[in-house]
Amino acid sequence: QVQLVESGGGLVQAGDSLRLSCAASGRTSSRYAMGWFRQAPGKEREFVAGISWNGGNTGYADSVKGRFTISRDNARNTVSLQMNSLKPEDTAVYYCAADHGSGSYVYPRDVVSYDYWGQGTQVTVSS
C-alpha cells in the first residue's frame, strides 16, 4: 500500500508559475511509475504528465507540453510538477498517482492503470 499526499496548489494569475509536489509513503521500496492528472468541474479526469520509475521516460499531454515539467526524486519518495505560463484552462484539481505494474522504464497515460491516488490539490488560474 502506498499513500500519496499532494501539496503546492493555490490561486494564481495567468502567466504565473506553481510547483506541485507529491510525497509517497508506505510501500515505497517497490518500483512505481508516477503520473499527474487533473479534473475540472464537469469534466473527466485527464492525464497531464507521467514519469517512469527510473526517471528516464517522461511524457505530457499536448495541452501542457512545453509549459509543465515532471520530475522525481526516488531517494526522497517525491514527484513534482513544475507548471509555468499557467492559463485559466489549467484550473482543476490536480492528482498524483502511482502505478505498480509498469516496471522501471515506462508510464501509463490512462486513469485505470494507476493503483494509488492522492487526495488532490486545487489549482485556480485567474485571467
Side-chain angles (χ1 to χ4, degrees):
Q1 194 80 341
V2 173
Q3 293 78 44
L4 303 172
V5 179
E6 302 97 336
S7 61
L11 171 63
V12 297
Q13 293 187 330
D16 286 350
S17 298
L18 273 178
R19 185 176 181 86
L20 304 183
S21 294
C22 175
S25 61
R27 194 179 173 184
T28 56
S29 59
S30 297
R31 299 186 174 191
Y32 294 93
M34 299 295 294
W36 284 97
F37 290 76
R38 66 187 182 187
Q39 187 166 17
K43 295 187 176 182
E44 293 187 353
R45 192 168 298 190
E46 64 175 3
F47 173 81
V48 175
I51 186 167
S52 60
W53 178 85
N54 72 343
N57 190 7
T58 60
Y60 302 89
D62 288 344
S63 58
V64 308
K65 200 173 294 184
R67 300 187 297 122
F68 290 11
T69 303
I70 189 171
S71 60
R72 69 187 297 163
D73 183 340
N74 288 344
R76 298 177 184 266
N77 296 317
T78 59
V79 62
S80 298
L81 185 69
Q82 177 66 41
M83 306 187 295
N84 298 330
S85 302
L86 283 161
K87 304 176 181 180
E89 51 264 45
D90 294 318
T91 295
V93 177
Y94 283 71
Y95 299 90
C96 74
D99 165 44
H100 185 243
S102 292
S104 300
Y105 305 108
V106 298
Y107 61 89
R109 290 176 173 249
D110 57 304
V111 171
V112 297
S113 290
Y114 285 83
D115 305 297
Y116 305 102
W117 293 84
Q119 83 290 348
T121 185
Q122 177 70 47
V123 172
T124 304
V125 184
S126 64
S127 57

PDB file of all heavy atoms in Angstrom, residues 16-56:
ATOM      1  N   ASP A  16       1.514  33.058 -14.414  1.00  0.00           N
ATOM      2  CA  ASP A  16       2.304  32.717 -13.231  1.00  0.00           C
ATOM      3  C   ASP A  16       2.746  31.253 -13.275  1.00  0.00           C
ATOM      4  O   ASP A  16       2.354  30.480 -14.155  1.00  0.00           O
ATOM      5  CB  ASP A  16       1.497  32.970 -11.955  1.00  0.00           C
ATOM      6  CG  ASP A  16       1.371  34.445 -11.643  1.00  0.00           C
ATOM      7  OD1 ASP A  16       2.063  35.257 -12.292  1.00  0.00           O
ATOM      8  OD2 ASP A  16       0.569  34.789 -10.748  1.00  0.00           O
ATOM      9  N   SER A  17       3.538  30.892 -12.262  1.00  0.00           N
ATOM     10  CA  SER A  17       4.031  29.519 -12.123  1.00  0.00           C
ATOM     11  C   SER A  17       3.626  28.944 -10.772  1.00  0.00           C
ATOM     12  O   SER A  17       3.415  29.686  -9.807  1.00  0.00           O
ATOM     13  CB  SER A  17       5.561  29.490 -12.235  1.00  0.00           C
ATOM     14  OG  SER A  17       5.991  29.935 -13.501  1.00  0.00           O
ATOM     15  N   LEU A  18       3.515  27.634 -10.734  1.00  0.00           N
ATOM     16  CA  LEU A  18       3.297  26.887  -9.494  1.00  0.00           C
ATOM     17  C   LEU A  18       4.100  25.605  -9.574  1.00  0.00           C
ATOM     18  O   LEU A  18       4.319  25.073 -10.674  1.00  0.00           O
ATOM     19  CB  LEU A  18       1.820  26.528  -9.308  1.00  0.00           C
ATOM     20  CG  LEU A  18       0.875  27.514  -8.630  1.00  0.00           C
ATOM     21  CD1 LEU A  18      -0.538  26.924  -8.617  1.00  0.00           C
ATOM     22  CD2 LEU A  18       1.320  27.856  -7.234  1.00  0.00           C
ATOM     23  N   ARG A  19       4.482  25.110  -8.410  1.00  0.00           N
ATOM     24  CA  ARG A  19       5.160  23.819  -8.345  1.00  0.00           C
ATOM     25  C   ARG A  19       4.370  22.923  -7.411  1.00  0.00           C
ATOM     26  O   ARG A  19       4.224  23.217  -6.213  1.00  0.00           O
ATOM     27  CB  ARG A  19       6.595  23.964  -7.841  1.00  0.00           C
ATOM     28  CG  ARG A  19       7.389  22.673  -7.878  1.00  0.00           C
ATOM     29  CD  ARG A  19       8.828  22.913  -7.469  1.00  0.00           C
ATOM     30  NE  ARG A  19       9.650  21.727  -7.514  1.00  0.00           N
ATOM     31  CZ  ARG A  19      10.281  21.274  -8.604  1.00  0.00           C
ATOM     32  NH1 ARG A  19      10.177  21.954  -9.746  1.00  0.00           N
ATOM     33  NH2 ARG A  19      11.013  20.181  -8.567  1.00  0.00           N
ATOM     34  N   LEU A  20       3.855  21.841  -7.960  1.00  0.00           N
ATOM     35  CA  LEU A  20       3.154  20.844  -7.161  1.00  0.00           C
ATOM     36  C   LEU A  20       4.122  19.755  -6.724  1.00  0.00           C
ATOM     37  O   LEU A  20       5.023  19.381  -7.476  1.00  0.00           O
ATOM     38  CB  LEU A  20       2.017  20.221  -7.959  1.00  0.00           C
ATOM     39  CG  LEU A  20       0.975  21.166  -8.551  1.00  0.00           C
ATOM     40  CD1 LEU A  20      -0.126  20.359  -9.247  1.00  0.00           C
ATOM     41  CD2 LEU A  20       0.397  22.083  -7.507  1.00  0.00           C
ATOM     42  N   SER A  21       3.912  19.271  -5.534  1.00  0.00           N
ATOM     43  CA  SER A  21       4.718  18.170  -5.020  1.00  0.00           C
ATOM     44  C   SER A  21       3.811  17.044  -4.551  1.00  0.00           C
ATOM     45  O   SER A  21       2.674  17.286  -4.128  1.00  0.00           O
ATOM     46  CB  SER A  21       5.599  18.631  -3.861  1.00  0.00           C
ATOM     47  OG  SER A  21       6.561  19.558  -4.298  1.00  0.00           O
ATOM     48  N   CYS A  22       4.331  15.841  -4.628  1.00  0.00           N
ATOM     49  CA  CYS A  22       3.602  14.663  -4.173  1.00  0.00           C
ATOM     50  C   CYS A  22       4.568  13.816  -3.357  1.00  0.00           C
ATOM     51  O   CYS A  22       5.614  13.405  -3.865  1.00  0.00           O
ATOM     52  CB  CYS A  22       3.067  13.883  -5.360  1.00  0.00           C
ATOM     53  SG  CYS A  22       2.265  12.323  -4.944  1.00  0.00           S
ATOM     54  N   ALA A  23       4.224  13.580  -2.112  1.00  0.00           N
ATOM     55  CA  ALA A  23       5.051  12.782  -1.226  1.00  0.00           C
ATOM     56  C   ALA A  23       4.439  11.403  -1.062  1.00  0.00           C
ATOM     57  O   ALA A  23       3.244  11.283  -0.759  1.00  0.00           O
ATOM     58  CB  ALA A  23       5.187  13.461   0.126  1.00  0.00           C
ATOM     59  N   ALA A  24       5.250  10.381  -1.247  1.00  0.00           N
ATOM     60  CA  ALA A  24       4.784   8.998  -1.126  1.00  0.00           C
ATOM     61  C   ALA A  24       5.290   8.385   0.171  1.00  0.00           C
ATOM     62  O   ALA A  24       6.412   8.635   0.598  1.00  0.00           O
ATOM     63  CB  ALA A  24       5.267   8.170  -2.305  1.00  0.00           C
ATOM     64  N   SER A  25       4.462   7.587   0.781  1.00  0.00           N
ATOM     65  CA  SER A  25       4.851   6.848   1.983  1.00  0.00           C
ATOM     66  C   SER A  25       4.231   5.463   1.919  1.00  0.00           C
ATOM     67  O   SER A  25       3.356   5.188   1.098  1.00  0.00           O
ATOM     68  CB  SER A  25       4.398   7.581   3.248  1.00  0.00           C
ATOM     69  OG  SER A  25       2.998   7.716   3.273  1.00  0.00           O
ATOM     70  N   GLY A  26       4.714   4.601   2.778  1.00  0.00           N
ATOM     71  CA  GLY A  26       4.215   3.228   2.771  1.00  0.00           C
ATOM     72  C   GLY A  26       5.182   2.325   2.038  1.00  0.00           C
ATOM     73  O   GLY A  26       6.389   2.370   2.280  1.00  0.00           O
ATOM     74  N   ARG A  27       4.681   1.551   1.112  1.00  0.00           N
ATOM     75  CA  ARG A  27       5.483   0.563   0.395  1.00  0.00           C
ATOM     76  C   ARG A  27       6.252   1.208  -0.754  1.00  0.00           C
ATOM     77  O   ARG A  27       6.053   0.883  -1.927  1.00  0.00           O
ATOM     78  CB  ARG A  27       4.571  -0.544  -0.115  1.00  0.00           C
ATOM     79  CG  ARG A  27       5.304  -1.784  -0.578  1.00  0.00           C
ATOM     80  CD  ARG A  27       4.307  -2.843  -1.035  1.00  0.00           C
ATOM     81  NE  ARG A  27       4.964  -3.974  -1.639  1.00  0.00           N
ATOM     82  CZ  ARG A  27       4.338  -4.990  -2.191  1.00  0.00           C
ATOM     83  NH1 ARG A  27       3.024  -5.015  -2.223  1.00  0.00           N
ATOM     84  NH2 ARG A  27       5.012  -5.982  -2.715  1.00  0.00           N
ATOM     85  N   THR A  28       7.136   2.125  -0.414  1.00  0.00           N
ATOM     86  CA  THR A  28       7.853   2.879  -1.435  1.00  0.00           C
ATOM     87  C   THR A  28       9.076   2.153  -1.959  1.00  0.00           C
ATOM     88  O   THR A  28       9.754   2.665  -2.838  1.00  0.00           O
ATOM     89  CB  THR A  28       8.256   4.245  -0.879  1.00  0.00           C
ATOM     90  OG1 THR A  28       9.018   4.048   0.321  1.00  0.00           O
ATOM     91  CG2 THR A  28       7.031   5.088  -0.556  1.00  0.00           C
ATOM     92  N   SER A  29       9.377   0.973  -1.440  1.00  0.00           N
ATOM     93  CA  SER A  29      10.510   0.206  -1.946  1.00  0.00           C
ATOM     94  C   SER A  29      10.206  -0.403  -3.310  1.00  0.00           C
ATOM     95  O   SER A  29      11.111  -0.750  -4.061  1.00  0.00           O
ATOM     96  CB  SER A  29      10.886  -0.897  -0.963  1.00  0.00           C
ATOM     97  OG  SER A  29       9.781  -1.770  -0.763  1.00  0.00           O
ATOM     98  N   SER A  30       8.941  -0.514  -3.634  1.00  0.00           N
ATOM     99  CA  SER A  30       8.576  -1.036  -4.941  1.00  0.00           C
ATOM    100  C   SER A  30       8.786   0.019  -6.015  1.00  0.00           C
ATOM    101  O   SER A  30       8.916   1.201  -5.722  1.00  0.00           O
ATOM    102  CB  SER A  30       7.112  -1.478  -4.930  1.00  0.00           C
ATOM    103  OG  SER A  30       6.912  -2.533  -4.019  1.00  0.00           O
ATOM    104  N   ARG A  31       8.814  -0.440  -7.252  1.00  0.00           N
ATOM    105  CA  ARG A  31       9.057   0.463  -8.368  1.00  0.00           C
ATOM    106  C   ARG A  31       7.729   0.917  -8.957  1.00  0.00           C
ATOM    107  O   ARG A  31       6.984   0.115  -9.494  1.00  0.00           O
ATOM    108  CB  ARG A  31       9.924  -0.212  -9.415  1.00  0.00           C
ATOM    109  CG  ARG A  31      11.276  -0.603  -8.855  1.00  0.00           C
ATOM    110  CD  ARG A  31      12.198  -1.136  -9.914  1.00  0.00           C
ATOM    111  NE  ARG A  31      13.529  -1.370  -9.354  1.00  0.00           N
ATOM    112  CZ  ARG A  31      14.600  -1.643 -10.076  1.00  0.00           C
ATOM    113  NH1 ARG A  31      14.498  -1.723 -11.395  1.00  0.00           N
ATOM    114  NH2 ARG A  31      15.771  -1.835  -9.501  1.00  0.00           N
ATOM    115  N   TYR A  32       7.467   2.216  -8.866  1.00  0.00           N
ATOM    116  CA  TYR A  32       6.212   2.777  -9.333  1.00  0.00           C
ATOM    117  C   TYR A  32       6.457   3.821 -10.407  1.00  0.00           C
ATOM    118  O   TYR A  32       7.279   4.723 -10.222  1.00  0.00           O
ATOM    119  CB  TYR A  32       5.456   3.458  -8.190  1.00  0.00           C
ATOM    120  CG  TYR A  32       4.987   2.516  -7.107  1.00  0.00           C
ATOM    121  CD1 TYR A  32       5.763   2.274  -5.983  1.00  0.00           C
ATOM    122  CD2 TYR A  32       3.758   1.878  -7.208  1.00  0.00           C
ATOM    123  CE1 TYR A  32       5.329   1.410  -4.995  1.00  0.00           C
ATOM    124  CE2 TYR A  32       3.311   1.023  -6.230  1.00  0.00           C
ATOM    125  CZ  TYR A  32       4.117   0.789  -5.115  1.00  0.00           C
ATOM    126  OH  TYR A  32       3.676  -0.061  -4.148  1.00  0.00           O
ATOM    127  N   ALA A  33       5.732   3.703 -11.508  1.00  0.00           N
ATOM    128  CA  ALA A  33       5.616   4.835 -12.416  1.00  0.00           C
ATOM    129  C   ALA A  33       4.692   5.843 -11.733  1.00  0.00           C
ATOM    130  O   ALA A  33       3.819   5.476 -10.949  1.00  0.00           O
ATOM    131  CB  ALA A  33       5.029   4.394 -13.751  1.00  0.00           C
ATOM    132  N   MET A  34       4.887   7.111 -12.029  1.00  0.00           N
ATOM    133  CA  MET A  34       4.073   8.147 -11.407  1.00  0.00           C
ATOM    134  C   MET A  34       3.436   9.013 -12.472  1.00  0.00           C
ATOM    135  O   MET A  34       4.015   9.237 -13.547  1.00  0.00           O
ATOM    136  CB  MET A  34       4.932   9.019 -10.499  1.00  0.00           C
ATOM    137  CG  MET A  34       5.588   8.277  -9.351  1.00  0.00           C
ATOM    138  SD  MET A  34       4.399   7.612  -8.168  1.00  0.00           S
ATOM    139  CE  MET A  34       3.713   9.120  -7.495  1.00  0.00           C
ATOM    140  N   GLY A  35       2.267   9.507 -12.150  1.00  0.00           N
ATOM    141  CA  GLY A  35       1.586  10.389 -13.080  1.00  0.00           C
ATOM    142  C   GLY A  35       0.896  11.523 -12.358  1.00  0.00           C
ATOM    143  O   GLY A  35       0.590  11.430 -11.169  1.00  0.00           O
ATOM    144  N   TRP A  36       0.689  12.587 -13.088  1.00  0.00           N
ATOM    145  CA  TRP A  36      -0.150  13.700 -12.646  1.00  0.00           C
ATOM    146  C   TRP A  36      -1.374  13.757 -13.551  1.00  0.00           C
ATOM    147  O   TRP A  36      -1.244  13.676 -14.771  1.00  0.00           O
ATOM    148  CB  TRP A  36       0.593  15.025 -12.712  1.00  0.00           C
ATOM    149  CG  TRP A  36       1.586  15.241 -11.607  1.00  0.00           C
ATOM    150  CD1 TRP A  36       2.922  15.020 -11.652  1.00  0.00           C
ATOM    151  CD2 TRP A  36       1.305  15.717 -10.294  1.00  0.00           C
ATOM    152  NE1 TRP A  36       3.496  15.338 -10.449  1.00  0.00           N
ATOM    153  CE2 TRP A  36       2.525  15.768  -9.592  1.00  0.00           C
ATOM    154  CE3 TRP A  36       0.140  16.121  -9.628  1.00  0.00           C
ATOM    155  CZ2 TRP A  36       2.620  16.195  -8.257  1.00  0.00           C
ATOM    156  CZ3 TRP A  36       0.230  16.552  -8.315  1.00  0.00           C
ATOM    157  CH2 TRP A  36       1.455  16.582  -7.644  1.00  0.00           C
ATOM    158  N   PHE A  37      -2.512  13.888 -12.924  1.00  0.00           N
ATOM    159  CA  PHE A  37      -3.773  14.010 -13.633  1.00  0.00           C
ATOM    160  C   PHE A  37      -4.489  15.248 -13.103  1.00  0.00           C
ATOM    161  O   PHE A  37      -4.132  15.784 -12.053  1.00  0.00           O
ATOM    162  CB  PHE A  37      -4.654  12.777 -13.394  1.00  0.00           C
ATOM    163  CG  PHE A  37      -4.142  11.533 -14.072  1.00  0.00           C
ATOM    164  CD1 PHE A  37      -3.057  10.835 -13.556  1.00  0.00           C
ATOM    165  CD2 PHE A  37      -4.745  11.051 -15.225  1.00  0.00           C
ATOM    166  CE1 PHE A  37      -2.574   9.695 -14.181  1.00  0.00           C
ATOM    167  CE2 PHE A  37      -4.278   9.908 -15.856  1.00  0.00           C
ATOM    168  CZ  PHE A  37      -3.195   9.235 -15.327  1.00  0.00           C
ATOM    169  N   ARG A  38      -5.498  15.689 -13.836  1.00  0.00           N
ATOM    170  CA  ARG A  38      -6.300  16.799 -13.346  1.00  0.00           C
ATOM    171  C   ARG A  38      -7.765  16.595 -13.737  1.00  0.00           C
ATOM    172  O   ARG A  38      -8.072  15.892 -14.698  1.00  0.00           O
ATOM    173  CB  ARG A  38      -5.796  18.130 -13.897  1.00  0.00           C
ATOM    174  CG  ARG A  38      -5.945  18.303 -15.397  1.00  0.00           C
ATOM    175  CD  ARG A  38      -5.237  19.595 -15.833  1.00  0.00           C
ATOM    176  NE  ARG A  38      -5.390  19.824 -17.267  1.00  0.00           N
ATOM    177  CZ  ARG A  38      -4.765  20.803 -17.925  1.00  0.00           C
ATOM    178  NH1 ARG A  38      -3.936  21.626 -17.282  1.00  0.00           N
ATOM    179  NH2 ARG A  38      -4.949  20.956 -19.224  1.00  0.00           N
ATOM    180  N   GLN A  39      -8.615  17.218 -12.948  1.00  0.00           N
ATOM    181  CA  GLN A  39     -10.043  17.114 -13.208  1.00  0.00           C
ATOM    182  C   GLN A  39     -10.695  18.456 -12.939  1.00  0.00           C
ATOM    183  O   GLN A  39     -10.642  18.960 -11.814  1.00  0.00           O
ATOM    184  CB  GLN A  39     -10.671  16.028 -12.335  1.00  0.00           C
ATOM    185  CG  GLN A  39     -12.118  15.737 -12.675  1.00  0.00           C
ATOM    186  CD  GLN A  39     -12.598  14.440 -12.043  1.00  0.00           C
ATOM    187  OE1 GLN A  39     -12.002  13.903 -11.116  1.00  0.00           O
ATOM    188  NE2 GLN A  39     -13.692  13.902 -12.579  1.00  0.00           N
ATOM    189  N   ALA A  40     -11.280  19.011 -13.976  1.00  0.00           N
ATOM    190  CA  ALA A  40     -12.014  20.261 -13.868  1.00  0.00           C
ATOM    191  C   ALA A  40     -13.488  19.949 -13.616  1.00  0.00           C
ATOM    192  O   ALA A  40     -13.953  18.849 -13.942  1.00  0.00           O
ATOM    193  CB  ALA A  40     -11.844  21.075 -15.139  1.00  0.00           C
ATOM    194  N   PRO A  41     -14.227  20.887 -13.061  1.00  0.00           N
ATOM    195  CA  PRO A  41     -15.655  20.633 -12.782  1.00  0.00           C
ATOM    196  C   PRO A  41     -16.411  20.226 -14.036  1.00  0.00           C
ATOM    197  O   PRO A  41     -16.300  20.865 -15.082  1.00  0.00           O
ATOM    198  CB  PRO A  41     -16.144  21.996 -12.261  1.00  0.00           C
ATOM    199  CG  PRO A  41     -14.939  22.629 -11.682  1.00  0.00           C
ATOM    200  CD  PRO A  41     -13.794  22.205 -12.570  1.00  0.00           C
ATOM    201  N   GLY A  42     -17.159  19.137 -13.924  1.00  0.00           N
ATOM    202  CA  GLY A  42     -17.960  18.667 -15.038  1.00  0.00           C
ATOM    203  C   GLY A  42     -17.202  17.922 -16.113  1.00  0.00           C
ATOM    204  O   GLY A  42     -17.784  17.542 -17.132  1.00  0.00           O
ATOM    205  N   LYS A  43     -15.914  17.706 -15.894  1.00  0.00           N
ATOM    206  CA  LYS A  43     -15.095  17.024 -16.895  1.00  0.00           C
ATOM    207  C   LYS A  43     -14.489  15.752 -16.316  1.00  0.00           C
ATOM    208  O   LYS A  43     -14.402  15.584 -15.101  1.00  0.00           O
ATOM    209  CB  LYS A  43     -13.993  17.949 -17.412  1.00  0.00           C
ATOM    210  CG  LYS A  43     -14.513  19.156 -18.167  1.00  0.00           C
ATOM    211  CD  LYS A  43     -13.375  19.920 -18.796  1.00  0.00           C
ATOM    212  CE  LYS A  43     -13.887  21.083 -19.640  1.00  0.00           C
ATOM    213  NZ  LYS A  43     -12.782  21.826 -20.305  1.00  0.00           N
ATOM    214  N   GLU A  44     -14.047  14.882 -17.206  1.00  0.00           N
ATOM    215  CA  GLU A  44     -13.396  13.662 -16.766  1.00  0.00           C
ATOM    216  C   GLU A  44     -11.957  13.950 -16.328  1.00  0.00           C
ATOM    217  O   GLU A  44     -11.347  14.935 -16.757  1.00  0.00           O
ATOM    218  CB  GLU A  44     -13.394  12.632 -17.903  1.00  0.00           C
ATOM    219  CG  GLU A  44     -14.776  12.126 -18.263  1.00  0.00           C
ATOM    220  CD  GLU A  44     -14.734  10.998 -19.275  1.00  0.00           C
ATOM    221  OE1 GLU A  44     -13.646  10.698 -19.798  1.00  0.00           O
ATOM    222  OE2 GLU A  44     -15.803  10.408 -19.529  1.00  0.00           O
ATOM    223  N   ARG A  45     -11.450  13.060 -15.501  1.00  0.00           N
ATOM    224  CA  ARG A  45     -10.064  13.174 -15.093  1.00  0.00           C
ATOM    225  C   ARG A  45      -9.176  12.913 -16.304  1.00  0.00           C
ATOM    226  O   ARG A  45      -9.385  11.946 -17.043  1.00  0.00           O
ATOM    227  CB  ARG A  45      -9.767  12.166 -13.975  1.00  0.00           C
ATOM    228  CG  ARG A  45      -8.448  12.375 -13.278  1.00  0.00           C
ATOM    229  CD  ARG A  45      -8.364  11.549 -12.012  1.00  0.00           C
ATOM    230  NE  ARG A  45      -9.397  11.942 -11.045  1.00  0.00           N
ATOM    231  CZ  ARG A  45      -9.426  11.507  -9.785  1.00  0.00           C
ATOM    232  NH1 ARG A  45      -8.486  10.676  -9.353  1.00  0.00           N
ATOM    233  NH2 ARG A  45     -10.392  11.884  -8.972  1.00  0.00           N
ATOM    234  N   GLU A  46      -8.161  13.747 -16.496  1.00  0.00           N
ATOM    235  CA  GLU A  46      -7.316  13.620 -17.667  1.00  0.00           C
ATOM    236  C   GLU A  46      -5.834  13.571 -17.309  1.00  0.00           C
ATOM    237  O   GLU A  46      -5.400  14.173 -16.308  1.00  0.00           O
ATOM    238  CB  GLU A  46      -7.558  14.775 -18.646  1.00  0.00           C
ATOM    239  CG  GLU A  46      -7.189  16.140 -18.118  1.00  0.00           C
ATOM    240  CD  GLU A  46      -7.332  17.229 -19.170  1.00  0.00           C
ATOM    241  OE1 GLU A  46      -7.762  16.953 -20.297  1.00  0.00           O
ATOM    242  OE2 GLU A  46      -7.004  18.393 -18.832  1.00  0.00           O
ATOM    243  N   PHE A  47      -5.096  12.880 -18.137  1.00  0.00           N
ATOM    244  CA  PHE A  47      -3.653  12.757 -17.985  1.00  0.00           C
ATOM    245  C   PHE A  47      -2.993  14.105 -18.234  1.00  0.00           C
ATOM    246  O   PHE A  47      -3.333  14.811 -19.187  1.00  0.00           O
ATOM    247  CB  PHE A  47      -3.136  11.726 -18.983  1.00  0.00           C
ATOM    248  CG  PHE A  47      -1.652  11.615 -19.061  1.00  0.00           C
ATOM    249  CD1 PHE A  47      -0.953  10.864 -18.125  1.00  0.00           C
ATOM    250  CD2 PHE A  47      -0.945  12.229 -20.081  1.00  0.00           C
ATOM    251  CE1 PHE A  47       0.429  10.738 -18.215  1.00  0.00           C
ATOM    252  CE2 PHE A  47       0.420  12.123 -20.182  1.00  0.00           C
ATOM    253  CZ  PHE A  47       1.120  11.377 -19.246  1.00  0.00           C
ATOM    254  N   VAL A  48      -2.021  14.452 -17.388  1.00  0.00           N
ATOM    255  CA  VAL A  48      -1.245  15.668 -17.554  1.00  0.00           C
ATOM    256  C   VAL A  48       0.208  15.340 -17.867  1.00  0.00           C
ATOM    257  O   VAL A  48       0.773  15.837 -18.839  1.00  0.00           O
ATOM    258  CB  VAL A  48      -1.311  16.553 -16.285  1.00  0.00           C
ATOM    259  CG1 VAL A  48      -0.396  17.763 -16.414  1.00  0.00           C
ATOM    260  CG2 VAL A  48      -2.745  16.979 -16.007  1.00  0.00           C
ATOM    261  N   ALA A  49       0.817  14.482 -17.044  1.00  0.00           N
ATOM    262  CA  ALA A  49       2.231  14.139 -17.219  1.00  0.00           C
ATOM    263  C   ALA A  49       2.519  12.817 -16.539  1.00  0.00           C
ATOM    264  O   ALA A  49       1.852  12.453 -15.565  1.00  0.00           O
ATOM    265  CB  ALA A  49       3.128  15.233 -16.642  1.00  0.00           C
ATOM    266  N   GLY A  50       3.520  12.108 -17.055  1.00  0.00           N
ATOM    267  CA  GLY A  50       3.910  10.841 -16.458  1.00  0.00           C
ATOM    268  C   GLY A  50       5.417  10.695 -16.472  1.00  0.00           C
ATOM    269  O   GLY A  50       6.119  11.318 -17.280  1.00  0.00           O
ATOM    270  N   ILE A  51       5.918   9.866 -15.560  1.00  0.00           N
ATOM    271  CA  ILE A  51       7.359   9.637 -15.481  1.00  0.00           C
ATOM    272  C   ILE A  51       7.590   8.192 -15.057  1.00  0.00           C
ATOM    273  O   ILE A  51       6.927   7.669 -14.158  1.00  0.00           O
ATOM    274  CB  ILE A  51       8.021  10.641 -14.515  1.00  0.00           C
ATOM    275  CG1 ILE A  51       9.534  10.519 -14.544  1.00  0.00           C
ATOM    276  CG2 ILE A  51       7.481  10.491 -13.088  1.00  0.00           C
ATOM    277  CD1 ILE A  51      10.257  11.695 -13.859  1.00  0.00           C
ATOM    278  N   SER A  52       8.543   7.560 -15.697  1.00  0.00           N
ATOM    279  CA  SER A  52       8.878   6.182 -15.348  1.00  0.00           C
ATOM    280  C   SER A  52       9.608   6.135 -14.011  1.00  0.00           C
ATOM    281  O   SER A  52      10.082   7.149 -13.499  1.00  0.00           O
ATOM    282  CB  SER A  52       9.760   5.585 -16.442  1.00  0.00           C
ATOM    283  OG  SER A  52      10.957   6.344 -16.581  1.00  0.00           O
ATOM    284  N   TRP A  53       9.713   4.915 -13.468  1.00  0.00           N
ATOM    285  CA  TRP A  53      10.377   4.780 -12.168  1.00  0.00           C
ATOM    286  C   TRP A  53      11.813   5.289 -12.214  1.00  0.00           C
ATOM    287  O   TRP A  53      12.294   5.936 -11.303  1.00  0.00           O
ATOM    288  CB  TRP A  53      10.355   3.330 -11.715  1.00  0.00           C
ATOM    289  CG  TRP A  53      11.060   3.145 -10.409  1.00  0.00           C
ATOM    290  CD1 TRP A  53      10.551   3.318  -9.157  1.00  0.00           C
ATOM    291  CD2 TRP A  53      12.441   2.776 -10.243  1.00  0.00           C
ATOM    292  NE1 TRP A  53      11.525   3.085  -8.199  1.00  0.00           N
ATOM    293  CE2 TRP A  53      12.688   2.742  -8.832  1.00  0.00           C
ATOM    294  CE3 TRP A  53      13.486   2.476 -11.101  1.00  0.00           C
ATOM    295  CZ2 TRP A  53      13.934   2.418  -8.294  1.00  0.00           C
ATOM    296  CZ3 TRP A  53      14.716   2.155 -10.568  1.00  0.00           C
ATOM    297  CH2 TRP A  53      14.928   2.123  -9.183  1.00  0.00           C
ATOM    298  N   ASN A  54      12.518   5.000 -13.310  1.00  0.00           N
ATOM    299  CA  ASN A  54      13.928   5.407 -13.371  1.00  0.00           C
ATOM    300  C   ASN A  54      14.095   6.857 -13.800  1.00  0.00           C
ATOM    301  O   ASN A  54      15.217   7.358 -13.885  1.00  0.00           O
ATOM    302  CB  ASN A  54      14.713   4.486 -14.310  1.00  0.00           C
ATOM    303  CG  ASN A  54      14.373   4.718 -15.764  1.00  0.00           C
ATOM    304  OD1 ASN A  54      13.362   5.328 -16.103  1.00  0.00           O
ATOM    305  ND2 ASN A  54      15.220   4.217 -16.642  1.00  0.00           N
ATOM    306  N   GLY A  55      12.977   7.538 -14.070  1.00  0.00           N
ATOM    307  CA  GLY A  55      13.038   8.962 -14.416  1.00  0.00           C
ATOM    308  C   GLY A  55      13.468   9.242 -15.836  1.00  0.00           C
ATOM    309  O   GLY A  55      13.487  10.392 -16.264  1.00  0.00           O
ATOM    310  N   GLY A  56      13.801   8.200 -16.583  1.00  0.00           N
ATOM    311  CA  GLY A  56      14.336   8.423 -17.922  1.00  0.00           C
ATOM    312  C   GLY A  56      13.290   8.600 -18.997  1.00  0.00           C
ATOM    313  O   GLY A  56      13.613   8.988 -20.131  1.00  0.00           O
TER     314      GLY A  56
END
